[in-house]
């Protein structure tokens, strides 16, 4: 048998939504993923195996051929910004908005570089450049809500779902940068070399999205 199709999944909240989707497609890990230290899982389909990665590592794994396809948030894909990846299916999971946020009632400085705390440095740079503003990015890996409160940044760029986290930290959402949801991501190379295996999966996922959202 040829090498199995390798599917890169993101740990965390997206994984909780992805596993039921894969199950609906008849793909189940042979071992429990949650709580496991393993990174690679065989599945009930001998032609498919799963990698469980940090969300930000899904795009490079797929781009560099470590996985043939994966599931990643649009926020992560925008930040990664590769033209070697295609996104054939919007799975409509983990929907959220990439937004700017500031302290409640505080105006942005009118001139000078804006200090922007975010894990989305590329997205932030592009967005503010489109507004004619240069930024001084502060790359953080979590708790960006704190940065404006302690006076370290003027603004944050982060994903917002209900807005409760911003509110609980004295911040308010400002500008919408982009809507985000989970996407099937495939490298352009795998799309050509593995098309016979990937095309049926795209069809099944489209069908699943259609049924789930019609319900
Ligand atoms: P909320 O309080 O519902 O607006 O959720 C915001 C918090 O959850 C922030 O810390 C976000 O980084 C995180 N978050 C919200 N939605 C998502 C998502 N779809 N994917 C990843 N993180 C998210």
């Amino acid at each position: 048998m040829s090498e199995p199709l390798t599917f890169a999944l993101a740990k965390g909240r997206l994984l909780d939504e992805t596993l039921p989707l894969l199950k609906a497609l008849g793909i189940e890990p042979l071992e429990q993923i949650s709580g496991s230290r393993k990174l690679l899982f065989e599945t009930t389909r001998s032609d498919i195996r799963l990698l469980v990665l940090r969300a930000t590592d899904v795009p490079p794994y797929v781009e560099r051929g470590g996985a043939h396809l994966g599931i990643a948030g649009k926020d992560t894909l925008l930040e990664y910004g590769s033209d070697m990846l295609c996104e054939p299916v919007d799975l409509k999971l983990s929907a959220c908005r990439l937004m700017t946020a500031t302290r409640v009632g505080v105006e942005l400085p009118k001139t000078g570089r804006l200090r922007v705390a975010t894990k989305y440095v590329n997205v932030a740079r592009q967005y503010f450049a489109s507004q004619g503003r240069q930024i001084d990015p502060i790359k953080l890996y979590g708790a960006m809500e704190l940065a404006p409160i302690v006076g370290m940044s003027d603004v944050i760029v982060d994903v917002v779902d209900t807005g409760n986290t911003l509110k609980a930290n004295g911040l308010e959402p400002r500008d919408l940068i982009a809507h985000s949801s989970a996407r099937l991501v495939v490298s352009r190379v795998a799309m050509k070399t593995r098309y016979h295996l990937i095309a049926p999966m795209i069809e099944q996922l489209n069908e699943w999205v259609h049924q789930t959202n019609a319900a």
Side-chain angles (χ1 to χ4, degrees), residues 13 94-96 145 158-165:
R13 75 165 72 185
S94 261
C96 57
E145 295 84 5
D158 198 9
V159 289
V160 178
D161 181 9
T162 60
N164 290 340
T165 306

Side-chain angles (χ1 to χ4, degrees), residues 102-131:
T102 58
R103 286 172 64 185
V104 174
V106 170
E107 289 301 316
L108 290 181
K110 295 273 181 283
T111 55
R113 284 174 184 258
L114 284 176
R115 297 168 305 154
V116 185
T118 185
K119 59 180 173 186
Y120 302 96
V121 168
N122 297 327
V123 169
R125 205 177 258 124
Q126 280 168 24
Y127 172 73
F128 283 107
S130 76
Q131 308 291 305

Side-chain angles (χ1 to χ4, degrees), residues 2 27 31 48 59 67 101 111 137 157-158 160 166 174 180 183 208 215:
S2 66
I27 306 166
E31 290 169 68
I48 296 180
T111 55
V157 168
D158 198 9
V160 178
L166 293 180
R174 303 288 290 248
S180 176
R183 308 293 158 97
W208 181 88

